[in-house]
Structure formats: structure tokens, C-alpha cells
Amino acid sequence: MKQIFYLCGLPRAGNTLLSSILNQNPNIAVTSKSIVTQICEKIFRLKKEETFLNFPDHTSIDNVIKNVMNNYYQDWKQDIIIDRGGWSAPNNLKFVKKYLNPKPKIILLVRDVLEILASFIDWSDKTHNSFIHKANANSIDDKCNLLMKNDGLIVAGLIEINNMLKNESKEDYLLIEYNNLVKNPKKTIKDIYKFLNIKYFNHTFINLHQFKINGTSYDDSAVGDNLHKIKTKIIKKTKRNINKIISKSIIEKYNNLNVWQK
């Protein structure tokens, strides 16, 4: 039986970097953005179908849901799976506790929201096929508001984090700030091993590899070139002047959303 843990949080907060480092350990597999949450959701929705309601065999369909995670990862050689998805959202977390793991351990990655917006805008300006351009957002303000829409990744991540901080025990999650990850990656990795209570592995923090797991890499042509590309020679934060990238009105609008700092 594989050990299953969870990675959640905000985009542009070091998800790919952290995953690339942890995946140096041959016994750990941190996934890309996982589809397991969607698989579970679609199976669960069958309970609303007429055929099921006509013969409501909850036990049998619950058995399918409970085994989704192990079936999905059964051919992965690693014993420790860290599934990256929106598991800490309120409904998803209730689902996890009921069907998958009554006491899940969740790693939460966070980063200042304005830094996230600046990072996305900077990347989009260099990427003609970015999902931001495809949405026909013209001005910088339009692009930022697009990124901050209620059903977008940033807001979803903030909801997930807020849910954990307000409703869950501190022993059940590990909050990792992006700045701490890039300043002291070794300590961050050690904190993760301690939190998950697994045997430590000596990782390297220079000459990294792009994210790849079980022979599969990201195909960023679907969302925009290099969205998941990391610096490989050295772990270093890109210096950006937020005030020159996004407007004062956007800064004022989204300046107070770092729920983990309140």
C-alpha cells in the first residue's frame, strides 16, 4: 500500500520547483496538477443519476471511490505519492476524510498575491500563446482581473488555504512560503520530511532538472510555453518591481489577500 500525501496552494508559488527537488528521491513521486480529484468527483456525481437513484447501492460505488487513488498509482514504482490538487478546498477535504484518508497530511504552498500577479503578467508578456492572451484580456488591469476571477486558480488556492487555517489542526498541514523555499530550500525540504514522517534523502539544490515523472513531462503548449519551466543551475527568485508591472489600482484592490499573514 502506497503512502498518499497532498500538495495544495497557490500557483506561481514554487509547486514545480518543489516537486522537481522532491522527485530526486527515487521513492517519492510528486505529481503534476492531478486529475484524481476530477475522477473522484465524476464518480461521486453518479449518485445523482437516475439509474443510481433507482437502485442506490452506496456501498459498491463507495468502494470504487475509496480505491481510485491506489488504482491510479498502482503502476508507479514509488511508495510515497504526493498528489498535487485542490484537496484542501472545503468540499474536497470533506471528501478526502470520508473516502480516502481520515487524517490527511497536506503541504500548502503560498506566495504574496501581488507577486503572483506580477509573475503571471511577466510570463504572459514573453509568451504569445499564454492562456491569458487566449482569453483576449488586453490591458494589464484586465489581465490581473482575469487571473483573479472567482473560478480561477488564485482564488481557488486562497479558499483552500483559508479553509485549512481556519478549520484544521496545525499538525495536519505544513505551510511553506515561496520566499523561504527559494532562500533556504534545504531547510524547507527537511521540514517536509519531518512533517510527513518519512526517511530523509540527501537532495541537491543546484543543476536541477525540469519536472518529469515516470518519463512524462509537461506539454505547456496547452496553456502557454514555459509555464512550468524552472531555473536549473541555481535556485533564485526572479527580481521584479511590482509597481512597474501592475497598476496602483490593482495593487490597492488585491493588496490584502494573504490570508496566512492575518
Side-chain angles (χ1 to χ4, degrees):
M1 185 70 71
K2 297 183 185 298
Q3 287 183 275
I4 306 293
F5 303 108
Y6 307 92
L7 174 62
C8 307
L10 293 165
R12 312 302 285 176
N15 291 277
T16 308
L17 170 62
L18 179 64
S19 301
S20 298
I21 295 170
L22 286 172
N23 284 342
Q24 293 171 8
N25 185 336
N27 202 37
I28 290 179
V30 187
T31 75
S32 62
K33 185 71 173 177
S34 175
I35 62 169
V36 177
T37 49
Q38 295 168 278
I39 294 171
C40 290
E41 180 185 3
K42 289 179 180 179
I43 296 173
F44 187 76
R45 283 180 182 175
L46 292 173
K47 290 191 174 190
K48 296 182 179 181
E49 296 289 331
E50 184 180 84
T51 303
F52 178 83
L53 294 172
N54 184 232
F55 190 81
D57 182 2
H58 286 276
T59 300
S60 296
I61 199 166
D62 285 354
N63 284 336
V64 174
I65 294 171
K66 290 174 182 177
N67 284 285
V68 164
M69 193 73 79
N70 284 321
N71 286 337
Y72 188 88
Y73 292 114
Q74 69 176 358
D75 291 331
W76 290 43
K77 61 184 179 181
Q78 300 86 355
D79 294 324
I80 298 168
I81 305 295
I82 303 178
D83 188 279
R84 180 187 164 200
W87 295 108
S88 59
N91 289 336
N92 288 348
L93 189 56
K94 290 177 183 177
F95 182 93
V96 169
K97 290 182 176 181
K98 181 176 181 179
Y99 292 104
L100 305 178
N101 190 336
K103 195 75 172 174
K105 282 185 172 287
I106 299 176
I107 300 167
L108 294 173
L109 285 178
V110 300
R111 185 179 185 180
D112 178 81
V113 171
L114 296 179
E115 285 192 7
I116 293 172
L117 290 175
S119 177
F120 267 124
I121 297 301
D122 188 20
W123 163 75
S124 179
D125 286 345
K126 302 171 183 174
T127 311
H128 73 281
N129 64 341
S130 75
F131 69 89
I132 298 174
H133 286 312
K134 292 177 182 177
N136 294 318
N138 297 316
S139 69
I140 299 297
D141 284 17
D142 287 343
K143 292 176 181 179
C144 289
N145 288 323
L146 170 71
L147 290 165
M148 293 301 298
K149 63 182 181 178
N150 288 337
D151 60 347
L153 291 175
I154 298 176
V155 172
L158 290 171
I159 291 171
E160 293 170 25
I161 295 162
N162 191 55
N163 181 52
M164 293 297 297
L165 298 182
K166 285 191 172 183
N167 302 310
E168 303 303 318
S169 170
K170 288 184 177 180
E171 66 184 21
D172 295 331
Y173 65 85
L174 177 65
L175 193 74
I176 296 175
E177 293 207 37
Y178 176 76
N179 286 337
N180 293 332
L181 170 61
V182 294
K183 285 180 181 178
N184 196 343
K186 186 173 183 178
K187 181 182 183 303
T188 299
I189 296 299
K190 284 186 174 181
D191 288 344
I192 290 173
Y193 275 85
K194 182 178 180 180
F195 170 65
L196 300 181
N197 193 26
I198 56 178
K199 184 179 178 181
Y200 187 70
F201 177 88
N202 286 318
H203 293 267
T204 60
F205 304 100
I206 57 173
N207 299 321
L208 304 176
H209 298 287
Q210 297 298 333
F211 180 89
K212 189 175 186 179
I213 192 71
N214 296 336
T216 303
S217 304
Y218 278 107
D219 179 4
D220 278 341
S221 63
V223 289
D225 294 340
N226 300 322
L227 181 62
H228 295 95
K229 186 177 181 180
I230 65 170
K231 298 181 182 73
T232 55
K233 290 185 178 181
I234 189 171
I235 297 173
K236 185 179 180 181
K237 182 179 178 180
T238 300
K239 293 183 179 180
R240 296 186 180 92
N241 188 331
I242 293 175
N243 294 292
K244 290 185 177 181
I245 298 176
I246 54 182
S247 68
K248 182 179 179 180
S249 62
I250 289 293
I251 291 174
E252 292 174 350
K253 186 175 183 179
Y254 300 121
N255 191 39
N256 195 33
L257 295 179
N258 297 340
V259 294
W260 60 95
Q261 295 177 343
K262 297 179 181 180

